[in-house]
Amino acid sequence: MPIDFNQQIIEEFRANKGQVGGPFEGARLLLLTTVGAKTGARHTTPLGYLPDGDRVLVIASAGGAPRHPAWYHNLRANPQVTVEDGAFTYQAKAVVLEGDERDRMFARAVELDPGWGRYESTAKRVLPVVALVPTDYGPPSGPMGEALKTIHDAFRKELALIRAEVAASGPRLAAQLRVNCLTACQGLHGHHTKEDGFMFPALEDRYPELAPVVERLRAEHAVVQGLVERLQALLAADDPDPKALLGEVDRLIGELEAHLDYEEEHLVPLLN
């Protein structure tokens, strides 16, 4: 992509917490900052990504160009990179996947989006697949209430992406889409576990009158977890039905949206 176009995407991404319009509207996008292999200068590039549990994957396609992109050469020289996903900015180690692992991850990407395969065919080179593994993943900066809302918005965004991917899928569920769903489930469970174990007890100690609100939020966590487990059970089937999966995703989104709205209404002012 031309540098000026890249810069427009970067500025829009940062101004709108990861949301951009134009050709990348509704796409999975992150900003990767590498250190120049020769210059030592920092370079930021917008890239599509694939969730993969505790890490994310990026592919050095360069839009099907015959040479590897500059950011790939940079991270080979210095694997310590900075990642912005719209909610978090964190340090990560870039690991270039090799052999069978690379081939499996690339095949998974192509199954979900055949465009990756077309890029590789056009480029006439093996497209590197790189895992970005967080090494310093802290909470968003700013007041605690706004940080909480930022985290919530990240879940809203992710589930909206998953819903669109499920709705657009064919009769068989792509393996990468299964991973996307399971990664979101894992993230939700981890977030609610931290709230139940740390944030809610601290709020109850400081604001005893908040007890009915916290009690409701804990109950809603249990309801959301039940829906997450239903979704996980469906994903564990050998050949999940995308239509059934879409119904489960819609139920989860509906329940979670109501929960997040209620939590923000009552907690964000206090946390700020």
Side-chain angles (χ1 to χ4, degrees):
M1 289 181 284
I3 294 177
D4 57 342
F5 181 70
N6 266 0
Q7 191 58 39
Q8 291 174 18
I9 295 296
I10 291 167
E11 291 173 2
E12 186 178 3
F13 184 99
R14 287 173 172 164
N16 297 290
K17 297 182 178 180
Q19 303 284 358
V20 300
F24 298 112
E25 184 172 2
R28 293 183 177 278
L29 200 66
L30 58 76
L31 302 183
L32 176 68
T33 299
T34 58
V35 175
K38 296 181 179 178
T39 65
R42 290 168 61 83
H43 299 276
T44 300
T45 308
L47 294 174
Y49 72 92
L50 301 166
D52 192 47
D54 293 333
R55 62 186 189 176
V56 297
L57 307 178
V58 291
I59 299 175
S61 67
R67 295 183 179 180
H68 296 325
W71 62 261
Y72 175 73
H73 294 293
N74 290 345
L75 64 79
R76 289 302 301 264
N78 185 350
Q80 298 303 316
V81 300
T82 302
V83 179
E84 299 170 60
D85 63 13
F88 297 92
T89 297
Y90 59 93
Q91 303 304 302
K93 180 180 180 180
V95 179
V96 178
L97 304 186
E98 305 285 353
D100 289 345
E101 184 182 21
R102 179 267 167 203
D103 294 343
R104 284 188 289 104
M105 297 301 102
F106 187 73
R108 208 170 74 189
V110 171
E111 182 190 14
L112 182 65
D113 182 355
W116 295 115
R118 291 193 291 271
Y119 279 149
E120 185 167 75
S121 177
T122 301
K124 294 182 171 56
R125 60 184 171 88
V126 175
L127 301 186
V129 179
V130 181
L132 304 177
V133 183
T135 57
D136 179 16
Y137 202 107
S141 59
M144 287 183 62
E146 293 308 309
L148 179 65
K149 191 173 186 310
T150 296
I151 294 169
H152 286 180
D153 286 344
F155 283 121
R156 291 181 174 107
K157 176 184 173 184
E158 179 61 22
L159 287 171
L161 287 170
I162 288 172
R163 191 196 185 285
E165 291 166 348
V166 173
S169 67
R172 295 189 68 256
L173 189 69
Q176 179 60 47
L177 183 48
R178 189 191 303 243
V179 171
N180 295 353
C181 293
L182 290 172
T183 299
C185 289
Q186 176 184 334
L188 267 175
H189 177 68
H191 174 62
H192 285 169
T193 298
K194 290 177 182 177
E195 286 189 331
D196 287 339
F198 300 99
M199 188 175 78
F200 289 172
L203 286 171
E204 286 175 312
D205 285 344
R206 185 166 184 180
Y207 304 103
E209 70 277 11
L210 206 62
V213 171
V214 174
E215 183 179 358
R216 172 173 164 173
L217 291 173
R218 284 199 179 101
E220 289 176 353
H221 280 184
V223 172
V224 169
Q225 182 58 26
L227 293 173
V228 164
E229 290 172 2
R230 285 178 56 170
L231 187 58
Q232 290 172 321
L234 181 57
L235 291 166
D238 290 336
D239 191 16
D241 177 11
K243 289 184 179 179
L245 180 61
L246 183 60
E248 291 297 333
V249 170
D250 280 340
R251 277 187 279 274
L252 176 59
I253 289 175
E255 191 67 40
L256 185 65
E257 283 283 5
H259 167 72
L260 297 181
D261 289 346
Y262 180 79
E263 182 171 342
E264 289 168 5
E265 176 187 355
H266 290 276
L267 300 192
V268 166
L270 293 177
L271 291 172
N272 279 343

